[in-house]
Amino acid sequence: MELKVVGAGVGRTGTLSLKAGLEQLTGSPCYHMLEVFGHPEHAALWRQAAEGAPVDWAAMLDGYGATSDFPACLFWPEILEANPGAVVVLSTRRDSQAWWESASQTIFAIDGEQVPPEMADWFEMWRAVATARFTPDWTDRDAAIAAYDRHNAAVRASVPADRLVDWQAGDGWKPLCGALGVPVPDDPFPHLNTREEFPQVDADTSLSDALEEFDRSGRGAAQDAG
């Protein structure tokens, strides 16, 4: 199944909400960072991709209708090349400072020295992907903001206007539905995974506890909407 949407927006730009919304619109799962935990064998594939190894994107993303969030967003050119009919959705925040404030207190606050053992492979994958395709200094404000701005500028410069949806969570359904040619749902657009809801992860946190809230909100909202 060819993807209908390639999500190019980085984490903390409403990507879990986007995942739930796209799953409702496409009727298929959306590949989000959460999927890596459900498919631990993918961690090695993403790490190899970061190191320049070829990836069979059709095989990795088989059964999915869209992508959203890290790590897929950092490989959006390759994924789009493999799915030339897809629409590109660039999710962003109102400005780079707002994005940094959210990212620095959530995903970038996870300390590799403190993650539970079962997250070690995931963290090494994240380190490899972020270093190769975003910035090795993702915990540094200036470096991370520069990477964020650079990433968004590259998407906007590379994707034809008629294939690109420049989207913020407050835009809701309408731009997505217009690009996909589907009716606007009657129910409100899902808004998930606020900064306050992000779990704190340390060496005493089990993987199941850390992901329980993500899994419940992301998958549950999509199932309720469907």
Side-chain angles (χ1 to χ4, degrees):
M1 178 174 65
E2 187 169 304
L3 296 178
K4 296 179 181 178
V5 176
V6 173
V10 303
R12 305 312 298 171
T13 60
T15 53
L16 189 60
S17 299
L18 182 60
K19 167 182 166 63
L22 290 175
E23 288 180 340
Q24 181 172 348
L25 296 180
T26 66
S28 302
C30 175
Y31 195 104
H32 180 277
M33 180 67 88
L34 287 177
E35 302 300 313
V36 182
F37 295 104
H39 299 276
E41 71 278 9
H42 284 189
L45 295 175
W46 286 114
R47 186 171 181 175
Q48 291 164 14
E51 295 168 352
V55 176
D56 185 343
W57 297 108
M60 178 184 282
L61 300 173
D62 182 40
Y64 292 92
T67 62
S68 172
D69 196 54
F70 293 124
C73 65
L74 299 180
F75 295 87
W76 70 267
E78 293 93 332
I79 296 174
L80 181 61
E81 183 178 4
N83 297 271
V87 171
V88 177
V89 175
L90 176 64
S91 54
T92 62
R93 298 291 286 256
R94 68 178 182 273
D95 56 48
S96 55
Q97 179 60 33
W99 169 79
W100 165 250
E101 290 174 359
S102 178
S104 64
Q105 296 178 39
T106 53
I107 54 177
F108 294 169
I110 297 175
D111 184 350
E113 300 299 322
Q114 294 294 319
V115 298
E118 63 264 40
M119 289 182 67
D121 288 346
W122 170 84
F123 189 81
E124 288 306 311
M125 176 277 294
W126 161 246
R127 189 200 306 274
V129 168
T131 297
R133 307 293 292 239
F134 192 63
T135 173
D137 302 314
W138 66 84
T139 59
D140 177 81
R141 176 189 179 278
D142 292 344
I145 286 179
Y148 172 80
D149 289 338
R150 183 169 59 247
H151 175 89
N152 294 340
V155 177
R156 290 171 176 141
S158 303
V159 181
D162 62 349
R163 300 276 304 284
L164 177 65
V165 181
D166 208 326
W167 181 89
Q168 295 185 9
D171 296 336
W173 293 117
K174 190 173 181 180
L176 303 174
C177 294
L180 291 171
V182 298
V184 176
D186 293 330
D187 49 307
F189 190 84
H191 291 285
L192 311 172
N193 191 18
T194 65
R195 190 184 316 174
E196 293 74 20
E197 294 171 335
F198 194 89
Q200 299 300 307
V201 177
D202 57 34
D204 296 323
T205 306
S206 72
L207 179 59
S208 59
D209 288 344
L211 297 176
E212 181 180 2
E213 188 168 352
F214 289 141
D215 191 66
R216 181 175 62 250
S217 60
R219 298 179 193 275
Q223 290 168 359
D224 291 346

